[in-house]
Amino acid sequence: QLQLVESGGGLVQPGGSLRLSCAASGFTLDAYAIGWFRQAPGKEREGVSCIISDGNTYYVDSVKGRFTISRDNAKKTVYLQMNSLKPEDTAVYYCAARSGYVCSPVPTEYDYWGQGTQVTVSS
């Protein structure tokens, strides 16, 4: 059984920070690319960031310089550090796993998903 569980969301003021965690179980994390996606009401699910087992990382342009993805294969956990948060970052954030060593911004190319965690950026 392969499971992902997100945590760390919450309410934060613009300019604030949050760290999201994605805890994996039931599989070896280093065999998967892990992506973070977000979805706001009425909008398409958007790829935010991705990390593969060699440490290579990818970010959508809107979060570059503000968000940092990292992974700890031994702990089977992936993190998304979010700094300088903006109201437009408000969304449900999901982590997802894709077998192999290639990142993708396409949600349908990921096989396993967490339940999501709400991030709200508001004053």
Side-chain angles (χ1 to χ4, degrees):
Q1 293 183 327
L2 307 178
Q3 293 183 312
L4 301 171
V5 179
E6 303 97 333
S7 62
L11 175 64
V12 65
Q13 294 184 352
S17 298
L18 288 171
R19 189 181 73 162
L20 306 183
S21 298
C22 174
S25 63
F27 63 101
T28 301
L29 190 61
D30 62 6
Y32 293 81
I34 305 297
W36 284 97
F37 293 79
R38 64 188 181 188
Q39 189 165 24
K43 296 184 178 180
E44 295 287 323
R45 189 165 295 189
E46 175 189 33
V48 176
S49 186
C50 183
I51 188 166
I52 56 177
S53 62
D54 66 359
N56 285 344
T57 59
Y58 303 88
Y59 302 91
V60 68
D61 285 346
S62 62
V63 309
K64 287 180 179 177
R66 300 189 298 120
F67 291 10
T68 303
I69 191 170
S70 61
R71 67 191 289 163
D72 186 330
N73 290 335
K75 295 181 179 179
K76 295 186 176 181
T77 302
V78 174
Y79 305 95
L80 186 67
Q81 179 68 47
M82 305 186 296
N83 298 325
S84 301
L85 283 161
K86 303 175 180 179
E88 52 263 44
D89 295 318
T90 296
V92 177
Y93 283 70
Y94 301 87
C95 65
R98 182 174 188 259
S99 181
Y101 308 97
V102 179
C103 282
S104 172
V106 182
T108 55
E109 294 185 2
Y110 289 77
D111 300 311
Y112 308 102
W113 292 82
Q115 82 288 351
T117 185
Q118 177 71 48
V119 172
T120 302
V121 185
S122 177
S123 60

